[in-house]
Amino acid sequence: MSTYTEIVGEKLNALLAKTYDAEKGFKKASENAKSFDLIAYFKKKAIERSNFAHNLRSEIQNFGQEIEEGGSVEGAMHRTWMDIEAFFSSDNDESMLTAAIAGEKSAIEEYDDVLKEINLPPSTATLLAQQRNQIASDLNTIKRLEDAS
């Protein structure tokens, strides 16, 4: 059976921080969107990411690892969702969709990185794969919303 190492804990905490950032980004998008469909979609995504974070926290704690509180951890997590503010300042639905697409692509890459580079316990690998697949599925929805706008 695989065990959590310090590196696994760091990578999962980094993923947790990115999840917090995504939740904040989607909340901000729901506040600035004009389209009712987008407002509902962004609210749904914020709730989803809150649930993702809760599940990640539980998984990390189940293996006796420390949880790093708050948003981003240094360096690597300071990515797309932190830059989203620039897109939101224009209060433009299209720019928010563009930012959401970039954020979702970045999240998928982050999940893929953790899933392929670390020998994870089965419960963690399953959780991460489920979350990653949900993000990938929703990416197609975002692209359809962007095409419709």
Side-chain angles (χ1 to χ4, degrees):
M1 175 175 157
S2 302
T3 58
Y4 274 62
T5 64
E6 187 175 322
I7 293 171
V8 171
E10 287 174 9
K11 286 201 173 215
L12 290 176
N13 270 297
L15 191 58
L16 180 60
K18 185 172 184 106
T19 302
Y20 289 139
D21 292 340
E23 178 186 1
K24 291 173 191 171
F26 282 122
K27 281 181 182 176
K28 181 89 171 147
S30 73
E31 294 166 4
N32 291 313
K34 306 289 186 244
S35 160
F36 291 116
D37 289 339
L38 282 181
I39 292 168
Y41 179 77
F42 289 140
K43 284 182 178 180
K44 176 185 155 235
K45 291 297 290 179
I47 292 167
E48 175 186 276
R49 290 305 167 85
S50 175
N51 292 334
F52 280 11
H54 174 76
N55 292 335
L56 282 169
R57 284 178 61 87
S58 293
E59 186 69 12
I60 294 167
Q61 288 174 325
N62 285 342
F63 285 92
Q65 296 295 302
E66 294 288 322
I67 299 290
E68 293 182 22
E69 297 296 329
S72 293
V73 252
E74 307 115 50
M77 294 292 69
H78 203 2
R79 290 195 207 183
T80 305
W81 280 107
M82 296 307 286
D83 296 332
I84 240 168
E85 292 292 328
F87 287 104
F88 291 139
S89 64
S90 66
D91 289 341
N92 177 309
D93 284 355
E94 186 175 341
S95 67
M96 285 184 274
L97 283 168
T98 300
I101 289 169
E104 294 295 72
K105 286 179 179 178
S106 177
I108 290 169
E109 289 173 8
E110 189 72 26
Y111 275 86
D112 287 345
D113 179 54
V114 175
L115 283 165
K116 75 180 174 191
E117 289 192 20
I118 297 176
N119 189 17
L120 297 170
S123 63
T124 304
T126 299
L127 175 66
L128 295 180
Q130 289 171 343
Q131 290 183 355
R132 183 246 182 251
N133 292 340
Q134 183 63 51
I135 294 167
S137 174
D138 288 346
L139 182 57
N140 292 326
T141 301
I142 286 179
K143 288 178 181 177
R144 283 193 303 276
L145 289 170
E146 183 183 46
D147 291 342
S149 69

